[in-house]
Amino acid sequence: RILRPSQSGRDEVLFIEHTIRFLRRNGKMVIVILQGILFGDSYYETRQYLLKTCKIKAIVNLPTNMFVPLTSIRTTLLLVEKMPEEGTLPKDRVFVASCDNAAEFDKLVSSYRKFEKDGTLAEDFAFIAHIDNAKQINPDYLKGMQDLKDKSAKGELPSWPQVPLQNIANIVTGV
């Protein structure tokens, strides 16, 4: 087992670990995962494992009702390529999108294929992100960061410097 026993006891974590382990080097895989895996603190090691063993090619939030009547849990589509020597690097361009309804899925696939072919985006519901660490895989976070970069480039942000919150405040959890 690659992940800690306390974490790898979860079925979804075991499934991710198992499928990646059996994927050939440079093999590609599309997997539907619980959206919580991308931002929950308890899944941090799972995200680290993904970043170290795979190049993340695309992250797509799926609509809540995508798998109704089986479940209404929010899910995410993850496209990865197994590259254990390299993993996902901060310089890598990752296709990120949110699919609001199943009818948009064909358009989303076309947009991804265009991105793979020539590196450009055809639709405004998708954007390109760079993942610096395992805390930054959540598509909503990545979208917020992209919006900040766009506003900064247009000069729409305040002129004071932006610093990480932990540099100016004590971060406390719980009650």
Side-chain angles (χ1 to χ4, degrees):
R1 282 223 170 105
I2 294 156
L3 301 171
R4 284 183 305 163
S6 63
Q7 188 180 33
S8 62
R10 295 179 168 172
D11 292 340
E12 61 273 18
V13 174
L14 288 171
F15 180 73
I16 292 169
E17 179 184 342
H18 181 75
T19 54
I20 290 172
R21 212 178 324 143
F22 284 98
L23 193 62
R24 289 187 180 145
R25 177 173 275 117
N26 298 323
K28 292 182 182 177
M29 170 177 72
V30 177
I31 185 170
V32 176
I33 61 171
L34 301 174
Q35 198 175 68
I37 291 173
L38 297 180
F39 61 83
D41 288 340
S42 60
Y43 293 104
Y44 181 76
E45 287 184 24
T46 305
R47 294 190 301 271
Q48 281 185 314
Y49 175 70
L50 278 167
L51 291 175
K52 287 179 184 173
T53 58
C54 299
K55 184 178 292 279
I56 296 178
K57 309 287 270 174
I59 304 169
V60 179
N61 275 346
L62 297 174
T64 303
N65 61 352
M66 189 72 160
F67 298 106
V68 167
L70 301 174
T71 184
S72 61
I73 294 174
R74 299 224 11 122
T75 54
T76 299
L77 195 77
L78 203 58
L79 173 61
V80 299
E81 182 176 357
K82 186 173 182 179
M83 301 183 92
E85 304 83 27
E86 189 175 333
T88 302
L89 303 173
K91 68 177 177 66
D92 293 336
R93 295 165 38 108
V94 179
F95 178 89
V96 183
S98 275
C99 184
D100 294 326
N101 62 60
E104 293 179 343
F105 203 73
D106 287 338
K107 198 164 45 166
L108 189 130
V109 170
S110 297
S111 183
Y112 176 75
R113 287 185 176 148
K114 181 169 176 39
F115 169 73
E116 276 289 298
K117 181 180 177 188
D118 61 19
T120 62
L121 295 175
E123 304 294 337
D124 60 352
F125 58 79
F127 63 95
I128 297 166
H130 301 274
I131 300 172
D132 295 327
N133 64 59
K135 291 184 178 181
Q136 297 180 341
I137 299 180
N138 179 358
D140 295 329
Y141 173 84
L142 293 170
K143 177 66 175 148
M145 291 304 294
Q146 184 64 39
D147 290 347
L148 277 175
K149 287 178 187 175
D150 292 346
K151 286 181 180 182
S152 178
K154 294 176 187 175
E156 296 175 357
L157 290 179
S159 59
W160 60 81
Q162 293 193 11
V163 296
L165 182 59
Q166 59 266 24
N167 289 359
I168 59 173
N170 290 327
I171 299 174
V172 182
T173 59
V175 178

